[in-house]
């Protein structure tokens, strides 16, 4: 649970926390798009700077944010290594050569760019969608944003509820997995030594109680919702109504300016270009 950001909410009174959850979803999607628009050194530097700024204005401790990155370190390293050894550059960019291994400066650039992109995306989406937004707010925002689909009979409320419950229970399932693995280790189970097939077989005693626990939690949740007379979105009212304020439009202006800045840096700023 300490290394999974999905589903976790960090209470605070920052500017980010006071934004409308609908606007945070829109800005979060725009931020992901902006991260894929980056192509050169300066645009990626701006992307990394934006991630730092988001941490500062959200008032979330850096240790909490870094824990969300810890869970994907292997993916980042694996992707970076692939870019280092598989990117072919110009002959003058060759830095190291040994037999079939060739390392080019362009490969190092691409590896660094990929790491910056992944880190920034994780930080940005975590801050916009989980650390500063409660599951209830996220459900209401998704339902409001997808409400036009009700015209074609799409069960928007049920869809938003399922997504939010899934996000909410990711940390719970991760925590449950850790407890089960600790209990199995205390009984002599070994998850680290042996061949891949042996380690896979050792996980069977973990998966079975994990599935049982997940189904039990799902049953308890269904019972609790039924006892509270939950009948879906039909006729449902809300204690808190979502309203857009000047803060939301200020945030929208800054994300638009951020995307425009990235595009301008890609066009006019000199420096190495990703893939070029």
């Amino acid at each position: 649970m300490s290394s999974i950001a999905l589903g976790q909410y960090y209470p605070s009174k920052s500017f980010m926390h006071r934004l409308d959850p609908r606007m945070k979803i829109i800005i979060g999607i725009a931020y992901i798009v902006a991260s894929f628009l980056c192509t050169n050194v300066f645009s990626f530097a701006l992307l990394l700077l934006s991630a730092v700024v988001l941490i500062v204005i959200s008032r979330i401790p850096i240790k909490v944010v870094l824990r969300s990155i810890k869970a994907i370190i292997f993916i980042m390293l694996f992707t970076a290594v692939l870019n280092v050894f598989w990117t072919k550059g110009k002959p003058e960019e060759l830095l190291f050569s040994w037999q079939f291994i060739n390392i080019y400066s362009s490969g190092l650039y691409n590896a660094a760019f990929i790491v910056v992109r992944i880190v920034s995306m994780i930080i940005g989406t975590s801050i916009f969608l989980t650390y500063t937004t409660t599951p209830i707010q996220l459900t209401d925002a998704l339902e409001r944003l997808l409400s036009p689909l009700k015209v074609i009979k799409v069960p928007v409320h049920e869809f938003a509820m399922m997504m939010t419950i899934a996000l909410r229970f990711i940390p719970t399932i991760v925590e449950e997995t850790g407890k089960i693995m600790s209990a199995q280790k205390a009984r002599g189970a070994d998850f680290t030594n042996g061949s891949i097939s042996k380690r896979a077989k050792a996980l069977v005693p973990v998966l079975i109680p994990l599935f049982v626990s997940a189904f039990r939690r799902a049953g308890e949740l269904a019972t609790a919702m039924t006892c509270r007379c939950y009948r879906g979105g039909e006729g449902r009212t809300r204690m808190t109504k979502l309203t857009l304020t000047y803060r939301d439009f200020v945030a929208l202006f800054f994300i638009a300016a951020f995307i425009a800045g990235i595009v301008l840096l890609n066009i006019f700023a000199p420096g190495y270009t990703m893939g070029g």
Side-chain angles (χ1 to χ4, degrees), residues 2 5 13 18 31 57 66-67 87 91 99 105 114 131 143 193 228 233 259-260 264:
S2 62
K13 295 182 179 180
R18 291 193 292 267
Y31 191 82
I57 64 176
L66 291 179
R67 281 204 301 265
T87 300
Q99 294 184 3
S105 59
I114 290 294
Y131 283 137
E143 185 177 354
N193 298 321
R228 288 165 175 80
I259 295 176
L264 292 175

Side-chain angles (χ1 to χ4, degrees), residues 44-226:
F44 274 101
L46 179 60
L47 179 65
L48 185 60
L49 177 63
S50 68
V52 176
V53 172
L54 286 176
I55 296 174
V56 173
I57 64 176
S58 64
R59 297 182 182 178
I60 298 175
I62 185 66
K63 293 181 179 180
V64 176
V65 178
L66 291 179
R67 281 204 301 265
S68 64
I69 301 175
K70 179 182 177 182
I72 60 165
I73 288 180
F74 175 77
I75 297 176
M76 289 192 299
L77 292 177
F78 180 74
T79 308
V81 169
L82 285 181
N83 278 272
V84 169
F85 290 103
W86 290 93
T87 300
K88 293 184 179 180
K90 300 176 182 178
E92 60 270 18
E93 296 178 343
L94 184 63
L95 299 177
F96 176 80
S97 179
W98 180 73
Q99 294 184 3
F100 61 91
I101 299 176
N102 296 310
I103 298 178
Y104 296 86
S105 59
S106 56
L108 297 178
Y109 274 115
N110 288 346
F113 289 164
I114 290 294
V115 170
V116 170
R117 175 176 290 163
I118 295 176
V119 169
S120 300
M121 286 175 58
I122 294 297
I123 292 175
T125 54
S126 299
I127 289 176
F128 284 122
L129 300 181
T130 55
Y131 283 137
T132 63
T133 312
T134 63
I136 294 177
Q137 290 175 338
L138 194 59
T139 302
D140 291 342
L142 285 172
E143 185 177 354
R144 293 288 295 274
L145 289 175
L146 299 176
S147 58
L149 297 178
K150 292 180 180 179
V151 178
I152 56 176
K153 305 299 181 181
V154 175
V156 174
H157 173 78
E158 288 73 12
F159 177 73
M161 179 65 71
M162 286 188 298
M163 288 187 61
T164 306
I165 290 175
L167 288 174
R168 170 60 187 86
F169 274 91
I170 287 175
T172 304
I173 293 175
V174 171
E175 183 181 20
E176 190 77 19
T177 303
K179 291 180 179 178
I180 295 173
M181 292 185 70
S182 299
Q184 295 293 344
K185 288 179 181 178
R187 293 175 173 85
D190 187 2
F191 301 107
T192 57
N193 298 321
S195 62
I196 296 178
S197 60
K198 185 177 180 180
R199 281 181 285 177
K201 291 179 181 178
L203 289 175
V204 174
V206 175
L207 295 177
I208 294 176
L210 181 62
F211 275 109
V212 172
S213 174
F215 282 115
R216 187 185 70 251
R217 288 181 183 276
E220 292 173 352
L221 177 62
T223 302
M225 294 172 73
T226 302

Side-chain angles (χ1 to χ4, degrees), residues 13-20 24 132 245 247-248:
K13 295 182 179 180
S14 68
F15 175 82
M16 297 296 300
H17 285 76
R18 291 193 292 267
L19 288 178
D20 188 283
K24 282 191 275 192
T132 63
T245 63
R247 288 187 294 266
D248 302 300

